Amino acid sequence: MFKILRRQTRRPTGLILTGGGARAAYQIGVLRAIATLLPKNAPNPFNIIAGTSAGALNAVSLATHAQRLRTGVRTLEYIWTNLDSNQVYDTSSADLLSSVSSIVLPRLGSKNGDESRALLNNAPLATLLTRILKFDRIQQNIDRGLLDAVSITASAYGTGESVSFYQGVKGLDNWEGPHRIGLRTELTLDHLMASAAIPILFPAVKIGDQYYGDGAIRQLAPTSPVLHLGARKICVIGVSGNRTKRPLEDSQLEPPSFQQILGHILNSAFVDTLENDLEFLRHMNEVLPHVSERTRKRHNIKAEEIELLEISPSEELNVLAQQHYEELPRSMTRYIKPNSNGTVLSLLLFEKGFCTTLYQLGYRDAMEKETAIREFFGQQQ
């Protein structure tokens, strides 16, 4: 039976911001809608904020502006709606997907730890984040009672563990589960860069004695960090664009390209685990009311119903990315073609037009759930 920690006096609210490269711009539109529906000067309404991959960038930014939600959202709006790929990765990188076989195949058996193992150089992203994020504000806001905890999840290449690095109030304990652990630490730029290091595309980051990559990889339970940190109500902003299932399309006549295979792997990492985890929580919520208090005591069942608010794209983000293909930097068009799988394109299209389109979609989708949003936050003290 699923077990989670208890809080005696309140039902803390958690926010989960998932990964997905440029897709994370969608989250800002949703957050803008939430900020619009809450009182104008409302502080951050989330006790626990958990981010993965590009969602970790949004999570940290919100945490550093916890004194006023609209200020944090406005900062993120400015970043995402004025972004271009050159601020995230070097579009003229020598390794730039130019010869995948010559880059990848010789290194499969290599033991040289000094070799670069990424196709793109994301040093510009580190420069951007250093300029806009003030990590010391996280602890300041925790001390002021504006936050309980902030979590950033990354994947350890050496152990295969999904590691949630968290910074929070006293009394929170580290945890261990199947292929996942939680470690208290002081969050830094390295944690953020590690969480956003899309495998193969961006380089791994060393923290302590381990190298880490994108947190979406092997994150079997995306809701686990906020639950372990005390959340009893969870707002999830996904970026899968998979709200409705599409029918099986015509048979594929040609063997899949490297881009299609890579896109399939990445899409599975960024989408499937969250949807499965939320489905599990919904099933738990359905079952728990039928479990008697006597049975709970006899079997030491400490789980409780978790209130969920999920907001996810109503349109396929891969399709939207293909509609903005002309924004792709010219150097990248040699390797990502107009008719290629849209997953890789949607991850790497850090351009103003595409990101603004995602922002606007997020706002519309959230406003369609205005009643649900008001009810979700109206229950807070």
Side-chain angles (χ1 to χ4, degrees):
M1 182 63 67
F2 185 72
K3 297 181 180 180
I4 50 182
L5 301 174
R6 281 188 178 275
R7 291 288 182 89
Q8 299 297 325
T9 59
R10 56 186 176 132
R11 289 177 59 81
T13 301
L15 172 66
I16 298 177
L17 299 172
T18 60
R23 300 179 190 179
Y26 173 87
Q27 298 167 350
I28 313 309
V30 175
L31 291 168
R32 163 51 62 191
I34 292 174
T36 299
L37 296 174
L38 293 180
K40 184 175 181 180
N41 293 317
N44 159 57
F46 305 104
N47 306 101
I48 300 105
I49 303 176
T52 301
S53 191
L57 183 161
N58 295 336
V60 169
S61 183
L62 285 180
T64 60
H65 293 91
Q67 72 281 0
R68 189 167 184 266
L69 178 62
R70 291 197 181 191
T71 300
V73 173
R74 189 179 300 115
T75 299
L76 287 168
E77 285 173 338
Y78 178 81
I79 295 169
W80 283 99
T81 59
N82 289 280
L83 198 60
D84 64 68
S85 298
N86 285 307
Q87 294 176 284
V88 179
Y89 57 87
D90 182 1
T91 58
S92 63
S93 172
D95 279 346
L96 188 61
L97 303 176
S98 56
S99 179
V100 171
S101 60
S102 66
I103 294 172
V104 177
L105 295 181
R107 297 180 181 181
L108 291 179
S110 173
K111 296 182 179 180
N112 184 353
D114 294 330
E115 288 190 53
S116 172
R117 299 181 188 276
L119 303 181
L120 296 170
N121 174 9
N122 63 346
L125 177 61
T127 301
L128 174 65
L129 296 181
T130 299
R131 180 167 55 86
I132 63 177
L133 296 178
K134 308 300 181 184
F135 283 86
D136 59 321
R137 291 182 181 175
I138 295 177
Q139 189 59 49
Q140 292 175 11
N141 288 331
I142 291 173
D143 294 340
R144 294 170 62 189
L146 297 172
L147 289 168
D148 284 0
V150 182
S151 170
I152 295 176
T153 298
S155 179
Y157 283 114
T159 65
E161 299 278 359
S162 176
V163 182
S164 295
F165 298 99
Y166 72 92
Q167 187 169 346
V169 297
K170 294 180 180 179
L172 297 174
D173 297 323
N174 293 345
W175 66 87
E176 292 187 17
H179 305 293
R180 60 183 183 271
I181 60 176
L183 294 176
R184 179 186 287 274
T185 190
E186 181 179 342
L187 297 176
T188 66
L189 178 63
D190 285 344
H191 297 100
L192 196 51
M193 293 297 293
S195 182
I198 301 173
I200 300 177
L201 299 179
F202 294 153
V205 177
K206 190 174 184 180
I207 301 174
D209 59 357
Q210 289 285 336
Y211 277 92
Y212 293 87
D214 199 294
I217 307 303
R218 292 182 66 86
Q219 190 179 27
L220 303 180
T223 62
S224 175
V226 294
L227 290 173
H228 279 289
L229 292 170
R232 294 298 170 268
K233 300 170 58 176
I234 304 176
C235 175
V236 182
I237 307 178
V239 292
S240 70
N242 198 30
R243 183 183 296 180
T244 57
K245 307 298 182 183
R246 293 184 303 172
L248 188 64
E249 297 179 352
D250 294 338
S251 299
Q252 183 170 333
L253 302 179
E254 299 292 335
S257 65
F258 175 83
Q259 287 183 40
Q260 187 175 6
I261 294 172
L262 177 60
H264 180 73
I265 293 172
L266 294 176
N267 204 49
S268 296
F270 289 127
V271 175
D272 296 344
T273 56
L274 176 62
E275 293 180 352
N276 292 338
D277 204 24
L278 291 177
E279 182 179 10
F280 173 77
L281 279 182
R282 292 189 188 99
H283 287 325
M284 286 291 297
N285 285 342
E286 292 173 358
V287 170
L288 284 172
H290 303 287
V291 180
S292 68
E293 189 64 29
R294 181 178 179 181
T295 301
R296 289 172 183 256
K297 290 180 180 179
R298 179 188 305 167
H299 297 282
N300 194 31
I301 298 174
K302 298 180 180 179
E304 58 185 277
E305 292 183 64
I306 303 297
E307 184 178 350
L308 290 174
L309 172 64
E310 180 193 1
I311 303 174
S312 58
S314 58
E315 299 181 30
E316 289 283 350
L317 303 194
N318 292 353
V319 174
L320 289 179
Q322 290 172 329
Q323 295 172 2
H324 287 266
Y325 178 82
E326 72 282 354
E327 295 183 56
L328 191 66
R330 184 177 298 275
S331 59
M332 294 291 287
T333 60
R334 296 171 53 193
Y335 318 112
I336 302 178
K337 301 302 181 182
N339 59 349
S340 64
N341 180 280
T343 298
V344 175
L345 180 61
S346 71
L347 295 175
L348 294 178
L349 195 57
F350 294 95
E351 298 295 335
K352 182 176 181 178
F354 178 56
C355 291
T356 299
T357 295
L358 296 188
Y359 165 84
Q360 293 170 343
L361 176 63
Y363 184 83
R364 291 197 303 272
D365 287 347
M367 292 305 291
E368 287 181 1
K369 292 193 172 186
E370 177 178 351
T371 300
I373 291 173
R374 290 188 183 278
E375 290 178 352
F376 183 83
F377 290 103
Q379 295 177 12
Q380 295 200 121
Q381 298 296 324

